[in-house]
Amino acid sequence: MSATAVNLPAGSLRFWQTTIGKKVIMAVSGFILFGFVVGHLLGNLQMFLPPEKINHYSAALKSLPVLLWGTRITLLVAVGLHIWSSFQLWLLQREARPIQYVKKANSHSTYASRTMYWSGPIIAAFVIFHLLQFTFGVVHPRAPFDEHNVYNNVVTGFRFWPVSIFYIIAMTMLCYHLYHGLWSMFQSLGFSHPVYTPWLQRAAKVLAILIAAGYISIPVAVLAGLLKPV
């Protein structure tokens, strides 16, 4: 066995232990989660079609257990790596500056970047509640939960306004998180340029707003009476 082959695992381990390695882990895992967020939104927007559309969509997903559980496992690993890398980077940042500034200057940071570390836990708490409500049905309010009638589950769930408010707040946090995460992902992967970076920031902002607006449109439509149980 060559020396290169022997040293590769150790070299790879050293890379993941560096700040750059942790940023790459965060970027790649974040990209996987971003792909799910977009795909999930496209599925959810079927709420504005006839009810049988989203019900058939849900049934089709459940008929492919290998795909469904493969996706779930991939997402679980991505979430774990994203949280781990985020925590490790936070520790490194704290160790690099153990004494906080008397008055912290934020002239070169955005509100989105300053909220990354606490918007993440809010989104994570929302995801857990969201799964308990719409996937497992254990905290579904009011009407009985019917796993075969996704349309009614969503409508009756969002007619309980505290749930809708929590959902809207979480999607607003997701907007900030996506905005900063998307353009900083390119920086972590080495795509940083004084000409292109501002355009990436603008594109990330527009995309994050569109995604959040798409998700928020559903509880708003329910509360406004545009979507009703059938």
Side-chain angles (χ1 to χ4, degrees):
M1 183 178 294
S2 66
T4 302
V6 173
N7 294 331
L8 182 59
S12 299
L13 181 59
R14 285 194 296 271
F15 173 72
W16 299 127
Q17 291 174 338
T18 64
T19 301
I20 296 298
K22 291 177 174 61
K23 287 184 176 181
V24 169
I25 294 175
M26 173 171 279
V28 174
S29 61
F31 183 75
I32 293 173
L33 295 174
F34 170 72
F36 170 76
V37 166
V38 173
H40 191 58
L41 173 61
L42 295 177
N44 284 2
L45 289 178
Q46 294 181 75
M47 283 294 299
F48 294 100
L49 300 176
E52 60 270 14
K53 293 291 184 179
I54 195 167
N55 290 338
H56 289 165
Y57 170 72
S58 175
L61 289 179
K62 292 177 181 177
S63 68
L64 301 170
V66 174
L67 176 62
L68 185 62
W69 281 101
T71 301
R72 287 173 174 173
I73 292 172
T74 300
L75 289 173
L76 185 62
V77 172
V79 168
L81 289 174
H82 203 67
I83 294 174
W84 173 83
S85 56
S86 174
F87 181 69
Q88 291 294 314
L89 289 170
W90 176 78
L91 287 178
L92 289 173
Q93 184 182 42
R94 187 176 182 181
E95 290 172 359
R97 193 175 66 234
I99 301 176
Q100 297 296 320
Y101 296 128
V102 175
K103 183 177 181 180
K104 185 178 179 181
N106 294 316
S107 58
H108 299 291
S109 64
T110 64
Y111 181 76
S113 66
R114 297 194 298 272
T115 60
M116 282 294 283
Y117 289 113
W118 58 266
S119 62
I122 292 176
I123 295 170
F126 159 75
V127 169
I128 293 172
F129 177 81
H130 195 62
L131 288 172
L132 292 175
Q133 182 180 16
F134 290 123
T135 300
F136 303 107
V138 296
V139 293
H140 193 72
R142 297 186 177 181
F145 181 82
D146 182 0
E147 64 176 343
H148 302 294
N149 195 336
V150 174
Y151 179 87
N152 269 5
N153 289 339
V154 172
V155 173
T156 55
F158 283 139
R159 291 180 81 180
F160 187 55
W161 68 265
V163 170
S164 289
I165 295 300
F166 180 38
Y167 187 93
I168 292 171
I169 292 173
M171 292 305 99
T172 302
M173 291 295 98
L174 177 65
C175 179
Y176 284 115
H177 204 84
L178 285 176
Y179 164 50
H180 178 72
L182 284 173
W183 71 264
S184 62
M185 174 185 69
F186 289 100
Q187 287 187 316
S188 298
L189 296 178
F191 298 98
S192 180
H193 191 277
V195 175
Y196 303 131
T197 297
W199 286 99
L200 288 173
Q201 286 181 292
R202 295 187 189 100
K205 179 181 291 187
V206 171
L207 190 56
I209 291 173
L210 289 176
I211 290 173
Y215 277 109
I216 290 173
S217 67
I218 298 174
V220 169
V222 171
L223 292 176
L226 300 177
L227 296 177
K228 301 178 181 179
V230 294

